Amino acid sequence: MPLTISVFSDVICPWCYVGKRRLERALDQLGQRESTTIEWLPFELNPDMPAGGIERAHYRARKFGAERSAQLDAQMTELGRQEGIGFAFERMTRTPSTRRAHMLIAAATRHGRADPAVDALFRAYFEEGRDVGDPDVLRQIGVAAGLEREIVDDALGNEQLRQLVEAVEQQAAEMRIAGVPFFIVDRKWAVSGAQTTEQWLAALSAA
Protein backbone atom coordinates (compact mmCIF):
# COMPACT_ATOMS: atom_id res chain seq x y z
CA MET A 1 0.00 0.00 0.00
CA PRO A 2 1.49 3.41 -0.94
CA LEU A 3 2.77 5.51 1.94
CA THR A 4 3.40 9.21 2.41
CA ILE A 5 6.03 10.08 4.98
CA SER A 6 6.57 13.74 5.88
CA VAL A 7 9.97 14.48 7.41
CA PHE A 8 10.87 17.61 9.30
CA SER A 9 14.65 17.88 9.11
CA ASP A 10 17.61 20.21 8.75
CA VAL A 11 20.48 19.69 6.34
CA ILE A 12 23.06 20.32 9.08
CA CYS A 13 21.52 17.75 11.44
CA PRO A 14 23.66 14.58 11.42
CA TRP A 15 20.88 12.52 12.98
CA CYS A 16 18.62 13.55 10.08
CA TYR A 17 21.15 12.10 7.63
CA VAL A 18 21.37 8.90 9.67
CA GLY A 19 17.59 8.76 9.99
CA LYS A 20 17.15 9.10 6.24
CA ARG A 21 19.47 6.18 5.56
CA ARG A 22 17.79 3.97 8.15
CA LEU A 23 14.29 4.69 6.85
CA GLU A 24 15.34 4.07 3.26
CA ARG A 25 16.91 0.75 4.22
CA ALA A 26 13.67 -0.32 5.90
CA LEU A 27 11.61 0.69 2.87
CA ASP A 28 13.99 -1.23 0.61
CA GLN A 29 13.67 -4.35 2.73
CA LEU A 30 9.88 -4.07 2.66
CA GLY A 31 9.86 -3.45 -1.09
CA GLN A 32 8.11 -0.12 -0.52
CA ARG A 33 10.80 2.36 -1.58
CA GLU A 34 9.30 3.11 -4.99
CA SER A 35 5.71 3.30 -3.77
CA THR A 36 6.47 5.63 -0.84
CA THR A 37 6.35 9.40 -1.19
CA ILE A 38 8.75 11.18 1.15
CA GLU A 39 8.01 14.85 1.74
CA TRP A 40 10.93 16.91 3.08
CA LEU A 41 9.85 19.75 5.35
CA PRO A 42 12.01 22.56 6.76
CA PHE A 43 13.19 22.82 10.34
CA GLU A 44 16.07 25.20 11.06
CA LEU A 45 18.13 24.22 14.06
CA ASN A 46 19.45 27.78 14.11
CA PRO A 47 16.68 30.03 12.72
CA ASP A 48 18.45 33.16 13.92
CA MET A 49 21.79 32.26 12.33
CA PRO A 50 23.31 35.15 10.31
CA ALA A 51 22.98 34.62 6.56
CA GLY A 52 26.73 34.09 6.28
CA GLY A 53 26.85 31.57 9.11
CA ILE A 54 29.54 31.53 11.78
CA GLU A 55 32.85 29.76 12.30
CA ARG A 56 32.03 26.16 13.31
CA ALA A 57 34.70 25.68 15.97
CA HIS A 58 33.50 28.82 17.75
CA TYR A 59 29.85 27.78 17.46
CA ARG A 60 30.47 24.27 18.74
CA ALA A 61 32.73 25.39 21.57
CA ARG A 62 30.10 27.88 22.70
CA LYS A 63 27.32 25.28 22.51
CA PHE A 64 29.05 22.17 23.87
CA GLY A 65 32.57 23.12 24.91
CA ALA A 66 35.55 22.19 22.72
CA GLU A 67 36.26 18.84 24.40
CA ARG A 68 32.64 17.68 24.39
CA SER A 69 32.26 18.82 20.77
CA ALA A 70 35.22 16.66 19.73
CA GLN A 71 33.74 13.66 21.56
CA LEU A 72 30.37 14.11 19.87
CA ASP A 73 31.99 14.36 16.44
CA ALA A 74 34.00 11.20 17.08
CA GLN A 75 30.92 9.29 18.21
CA MET A 76 28.90 10.43 15.20
CA THR A 77 31.76 9.57 12.85
CA GLU A 78 31.75 5.99 14.14
CA LEU A 79 27.97 5.76 13.95
CA GLY A 80 28.04 7.12 10.41
CA ARG A 81 30.59 4.51 9.42
CA GLN A 82 28.13 1.83 10.51
CA GLU A 83 25.44 3.44 8.34
CA GLY A 84 27.65 3.92 5.30
CA ILE A 85 28.05 7.67 5.84
CA GLY A 86 31.52 9.19 5.72
CA PHE A 87 31.14 12.05 8.18
CA ALA A 88 34.07 14.42 7.73
CA PHE A 89 33.67 16.91 10.56
CA GLU A 90 37.32 17.91 10.28
CA ARG A 91 36.56 19.45 6.88
CA MET A 92 33.80 21.71 8.16
CA THR A 93 34.80 25.30 8.79
CA ARG A 94 31.43 27.03 9.12
CA THR A 95 28.02 26.40 10.64
CA PRO A 96 25.73 27.89 8.01
CA SER A 97 22.29 29.38 7.92
CA THR A 98 20.12 26.76 6.21
CA ARG A 99 17.26 29.04 5.14
CA ARG A 100 18.35 29.11 1.48
CA ALA A 101 18.99 25.36 1.49
CA HIS A 102 15.38 24.80 2.56
CA MET A 103 14.20 27.17 -0.17
CA LEU A 104 16.17 25.05 -2.65
CA ILE A 105 14.52 21.88 -1.31
CA ALA A 106 11.10 23.51 -1.65
CA ALA A 107 11.84 24.33 -5.30
CA ALA A 108 13.19 20.82 -5.88
CA THR A 109 9.98 19.40 -4.42
CA ARG A 110 7.94 21.30 -7.00
CA HIS A 111 10.04 19.78 -9.77
CA GLY A 112 10.15 16.21 -8.45
CA ARG A 113 13.81 16.38 -7.38
CA ALA A 114 13.47 16.72 -3.61
CA ASP A 115 15.17 13.48 -2.62
CA PRO A 116 18.23 13.99 -4.86
CA ALA A 117 18.52 17.56 -3.57
CA VAL A 118 18.31 16.52 0.09
CA ASP A 119 20.85 13.75 -0.47
CA ALA A 120 23.19 16.14 -2.26
CA LEU A 121 22.92 18.72 0.53
CA PHE A 122 23.63 16.15 3.25
CA ARG A 123 26.58 14.76 1.31
CA ALA A 124 27.98 18.21 0.52
CA TYR A 125 27.90 19.36 4.13
CA PHE A 126 28.75 16.23 6.06
CA GLU A 127 31.06 14.34 3.71
CA GLU A 128 32.63 17.12 1.65
CA GLY A 129 32.68 19.90 4.26
CA ARG A 130 31.09 22.44 1.91
CA ASP A 131 29.28 25.56 3.11
CA VAL A 132 25.63 24.86 2.28
CA GLY A 133 24.71 28.41 3.23
CA ASP A 134 26.78 29.82 0.36
CA PRO A 135 24.56 30.65 -2.66
CA ASP A 136 27.27 29.60 -5.11
CA VAL A 137 27.62 26.22 -3.41
CA LEU A 138 23.84 25.82 -3.39
CA ARG A 139 23.71 26.58 -7.11
CA GLN A 140 26.22 23.82 -7.79
CA ILE A 141 24.32 21.38 -5.57
CA GLY A 142 20.97 22.21 -7.15
CA VAL A 143 22.24 21.71 -10.69
CA ALA A 144 23.99 18.47 -9.70
CA ALA A 145 20.67 17.27 -8.24
CA GLY A 146 19.04 17.67 -11.64
CA LEU A 147 17.49 21.14 -11.46
CA GLU A 148 17.82 23.69 -14.23
CA ARG A 149 20.16 26.55 -13.39
CA GLU A 150 17.34 29.08 -13.87
CA ILE A 151 15.17 27.23 -11.35
CA VAL A 152 17.98 27.20 -8.80
CA ASP A 153 18.77 30.88 -9.29
CA ASP A 154 15.11 31.77 -8.81
CA ALA A 155 14.72 29.53 -5.75
CA LEU A 156 17.56 31.14 -3.82
CA GLY A 157 16.00 34.59 -4.07
CA ASN A 158 12.31 33.71 -4.26
CA GLU A 159 10.34 35.56 -1.59
CA GLN A 160 7.36 33.20 -1.89
CA LEU A 161 9.59 30.21 -1.17
CA ARG A 162 11.11 32.05 1.78
CA GLN A 163 7.64 32.70 3.17
CA LEU A 164 6.67 29.06 2.54
CA VAL A 165 9.67 27.82 4.51
CA GLU A 166 8.87 30.18 7.37
CA ALA A 167 5.18 29.15 7.35
CA VAL A 168 5.98 25.43 7.52
CA GLU A 169 8.46 26.04 10.32
CA GLN A 170 5.73 27.94 12.17
CA GLN A 171 3.46 24.91 11.74
CA ALA A 172 6.19 22.74 13.26
CA ALA A 173 6.36 25.10 16.23
CA GLU A 174 2.59 24.96 16.65
CA MET A 175 2.82 21.17 16.58
CA ARG A 176 5.44 21.48 19.34
CA ILE A 177 8.09 19.72 17.31
CA ALA A 178 11.23 20.51 19.26
CA GLY A 179 13.80 18.31 17.52
CA VAL A 180 14.53 16.55 14.28
CA PRO A 181 14.28 14.25 12.46
CA PHE A 182 10.53 14.09 13.02
CA PHE A 183 8.47 11.79 10.80
CA ILE A 184 4.72 11.82 10.17
CA VAL A 185 3.43 8.68 8.45
CA ASP A 186 0.32 9.00 6.27
CA ARG A 187 -0.72 12.11 8.24
CA LYS A 188 -1.76 9.72 11.03
CA TRP A 189 1.09 8.86 13.36
CA ALA A 190 4.44 10.37 14.25
CA VAL A 191 7.92 9.05 14.88
CA SER A 192 10.48 11.24 16.61
CA GLY A 193 14.19 10.69 16.19
CA ALA A 194 16.46 8.58 14.00
CA GLN A 195 14.87 5.21 14.63
CA THR A 196 16.85 2.11 13.73
CA THR A 197 16.04 0.19 10.57
CA GLU A 198 14.68 -2.63 12.73
CA GLN A 199 12.33 -0.24 14.53
CA TRP A 200 11.09 1.10 11.20
CA LEU A 201 10.54 -2.41 9.90
CA ALA A 202 8.41 -3.28 12.92
CA ALA A 203 6.43 -0.02 12.81
CA LEU A 204 5.76 -0.05 9.08
CA SER A 205 4.87 -3.73 9.07
CA ALA A 206 2.38 -3.18 11.87
CA ALA A 207 0.89 -0.19 10.06
Side-chain angles (χ1 to χ4, degrees), residues 100 103-105 107-108 111 117 134-158 161:
R100 289 193 186 97
M103 291 164 65
L104 177 62
I105 293 170
H111 293 275
D134 184 325
D136 289 336
V137 172
L138 290 173
R139 288 187 184 94
Q140 295 168 13
I141 292 171
V143 171
L147 294 172
E148 298 291 336
R149 178 61 181 263
E150 294 76 12
I151 292 172
V152 176
D153 286 341
D154 175 72
L156 298 182
N158 190 301
L161 286 180

Side-chain angles (χ1 to χ4, degrees), residues 51-82:
I54 62 176
E55 199 266 327
R56 183 176 188 268
H58 173 72
Y59 169 79
R60 296 278 292 183
R62 187 177 64 187
K63 186 172 183 178
F64 300 112
E67 183 176 351
R68 179 59 177 156
S69 176
Q71 292 174 347
L72 290 171
D73 284 352
Q75 291 169 5
M76 186 56 69
T77 298
E78 177 55 33
L79 177 62
R81 191 174 293 119
Q82 298 170 21

